[in-house]
Amino acid sequence: MGLSVIGAGFGRTGTLSLKGALEQLGFGPCHHMAEVFAHPEQIPVWKQATAGAAVDWDKLLAGYRATVDWPSAYFWRELAGFYPDAKVLLSTRDVDAWYASFSNTILRLIAAQDEVTVPAVRAALEMGAPLVSTKVFGGRADDPEHAKAVFRAHEAEVCRTIPAERLLVFDVREGWEPLCAFLGVPVPDGPFPRLNDAEQFKVLTGG
């Protein structure tokens, strides 16, 4: 079947809530970094992709209908080309709030990865840390102004590249209506998922 929705937003832009929302709307399962923790057999292929090797996206993402979060968000351009009928979802948030969340979770976990004792989590971090720290932020993820400039430039590049009719720039605080209108599905009963994995990061780092 292939992907129907490609998430292009950085981690810590409400991606876990968005995963829950997409799955509730029928676009599941949705790939997220949590899936890498749960399925460590994916890690070697993501490592190869990060190193620039060709990837069989259909094989790697078999069974998934959507993607959000890193690592897949780093490959938004490749995925958008490979799945030309898929819609692209750019999750976003205030850049200062994003960096505060990013530095308190993902950066903290990367810094403490040598203390992680769960093998699958440690293996995922060995893949994810170079992708985020080096590929995305050029080794300067701990420089707030640089990281925020990368965030802004990334969003501008997605908006320049993806045709407007194929793209939704979405803040999860907007709720169901714009997302459902974009995907052409009814608005469900009940609130939009509000899932925050900050506590999961604390558990992983022993905090």
Side-chain angles (χ1 to χ4, degrees):
M1 182 185 299
L3 297 180
S4 298
V5 181
I6 296 164
F10 279 5
R12 308 310 298 165
T13 58
T15 54
L16 192 64
S17 295
L18 193 51
K19 170 181 167 66
L22 288 168
E23 291 179 344
Q24 188 172 336
L25 293 174
F27 295 91
C30 175
H31 195 276
H32 178 281
M33 180 61 86
E35 296 290 313
V36 181
F37 290 139
H39 300 283
E41 67 275 8
Q42 297 179 4
I43 293 171
V45 185
W46 286 116
K47 280 185 174 181
Q48 292 168 10
T50 302
V55 176
D56 183 340
W57 294 113
D58 278 338
K59 183 176 180 181
L60 176 59
L61 296 171
Y64 292 101
R65 289 203 61 202
T67 62
V68 295
D69 199 53
W70 290 311
S72 60
Y74 178 73
F75 300 97
W76 64 272
R77 193 189 301 270
E78 292 88 341
L79 291 170
F82 192 81
Y83 298 104
D85 295 327
K87 295 188 175 184
V88 178
L89 192 53
L90 178 60
S91 52
T92 189
R93 70 188 295 188
D94 172 80
V95 68
D96 293 316
W98 165 78
Y99 189 77
S101 177
F102 171 71
S103 61
N104 194 46
T105 53
I106 295 174
L107 276 189
R108 180 175 292 183
L109 183 55
I110 289 172
Q113 64 181 298
D114 290 343
E115 302 168 20
V116 174
T117 57
V118 180
V121 174
R122 185 152 186 169
L125 286 172
E126 289 173 356
M127 174 277 296
L131 185 150
V132 174
S133 297
T134 304
K135 293 290 188 177
V136 177
F137 295 105
R140 296 171 60 192
D142 57 352
D143 177 342
E145 294 311 310
H146 172 76
K148 286 187 277 188
V150 170
F151 180 95
R152 294 187 189 100
H154 168 75
E155 293 200 335
E157 181 64 15
V158 174
C159 291
R160 277 195 301 268
T161 304
I162 303 298
E165 65 273 13
R166 191 184 178 192
L167 175 67
L168 176 67
V169 181
F170 180 67
D171 187 319
V172 293
R173 294 176 301 177
E174 297 176 81
W176 287 119
E177 283 75 11
L179 180 62
C180 292
F182 177 64
L183 297 176
V185 296
V187 175
D189 294 329
F192 192 91
R194 303 292 181 189
L195 306 174
N196 190 322
D197 54 1
E199 290 303 317
Q200 179 187 17
F201 280 94
K202 291 181 182 179
V203 170
L204 293 175
T205 57

